[in-house]
Amino acid sequence: EIVLTQSPATLSVSPGERATLSCRASQSVGTNLAWYQQRPGQAPRLLIYGASARATGVPARFSNSGSGTEFTLTISSLLSEDFGLYYCQQYDSWPLTFGGGTKVEI
Amino acid sequence: EVQLVESGGGLVQPGGSLRLSCAASVFTFSRFAMSWVRQAPGKGLEWVSVISGTGGVTYYADSVKGRFTISRDNSKDTLYLQMDSLRAEDAAIYFCAKSTSIRYPLDSWGQGILVAVSS
């Protein structure tokens, strides 16, 4: 099973600042990695997949870089609606796995 | 907009069974793979199972293999998860989600349904 390790566990930022979230895979997943956002009390929402493609309706301030085992989600200028939990997920091999999440808080 | 609505959750005793349903609308259900993902209270996401659009291919997490069965009825646009031999550690919010294929990101999610396992 591919283990995804997200860091940091909690990221404290101010509105307007840049946020950088990391996801490390225990073995290569190529570019078969997705990022999800989960606001409190809501279902997760797909943000980015294929390592760099934004899902429908996702603003350009969200971007991803990396391939293989190291990935970074960047939120260029945080808005209040961006605070919440962020998960990475690999869909390269079975079982599909999620990272433990990063909480982005004010 | 895609709609996925889960139902069938509730409180069940350890060792008991429960069947979850996920009613889909506003897209051609049979053309998409469907998954179940769960989230224990205060915890992260855990993928549970996936089924192909035709229903012919399924995969399970090791934690539920042999106890849970995923299925779908494309004539009713509905996804199911039969959960048997439930354990305390199966307690979670269960989400259904759609994807283009079985090994693809989950692009739309339901709001989730709570399953509690307790005596």
Side-chain angles (χ1 to χ4, degrees):
Chain A
E1 161 174 332
I2 296 176
V3 177
L4 299 179
T5 303
Q6 292 188 240
S7 61
T10 303
L11 185 61
S12 298
V13 294
S14 299
E17 290 186 338
R18 173 188 296 259
T20 302
L21 290 67
S22 173
C23 177
R24 175 176 293 178
S26 59
Q27 63 191 75
S28 177
V29 300
T31 57
N32 295 316
L33 188 104
W35 289 93
Y36 300 85
Q37 175 195 62
Q38 186 178 32
R39 296 177 179 137
Q42 295 188 15
R45 166 199 178 198
L46 177 65
L47 292 176
I48 289 177
Y49 61 97
S52 62
R54 280 187 295 275
T56 303
V58 175
R61 64 180 181 274
F62 291 92
S63 64
N64 180 69
S65 63
S67 65
T69 62
E70 300 280 346
F71 299 86
T72 301
L73 176 70
T74 301
I75 312 171
S76 60
S77 181
L78 273 149
L79 301 181
S80 58
E81 66 208 48
D82 299 333
F83 293 95
L85 281 161
Y86 290 80
Y87 295 95
C88 57
Q89 180 222 1
Q90 66 82 20
Y91 50 96
D92 187 71
S93 63
W94 305 106
L96 307 185
T97 50
F98 288 89
T102 290
K103 181 180 181 181
V104 177
E105 65 176 21
I106 300 175
Chain B
E1 184 177 334
V2 167
Q3 289 197 11
L4 298 169
V5 180
E6 301 93 340
S7 61
L11 175 63
V12 62
Q13 292 186 341
S17 297
L18 211 55
R19 188 177 84 155
L20 304 183
S21 299
C22 170
S25 59
V26 197
F27 67 101
T28 306
F29 183 68
S30 61
R31 293 181 59 186
F32 294 88
M34 296 294 297
S35 288
W36 288 99
V37 175
R38 67 185 182 184
Q39 186 170 37
K43 302 297 184 182
L45 301 172
E46 180 187 13
W47 172 79
V48 172
S49 183
V50 66
I51 187 168
S52 64
T54 63
V57 179
T58 59
Y59 286 92
Y60 297 90
D62 286 345
S63 59
V64 306
K65 199 174 296 182
R67 300 187 299 120
F68 289 12
T69 303
I70 192 171
S71 63
R72 63 192 297 160
D73 185 338
N74 287 344
S75 69
K76 296 181 178 179
D77 291 349
T78 302
L79 172 73
Y80 302 101
L81 185 67
Q82 177 66 41
M83 303 186 294
D84 298 321
S85 303
L86 281 160
R87 305 166 180 167
E89 56 264 36
D90 295 318
I93 295 173
Y94 284 73
F95 298 97
C96 63
K98 73 176 265 292
S99 58
T100 300
S101 185
I102 58 171
R103 215 154 42 96
Y104 222 72
L106 305 170
D107 55 47
S108 296
W109 297 62
Q111 281 304 298
I113 191 77
L114 180 63
V115 172
V117 183
S118 175
S119 54

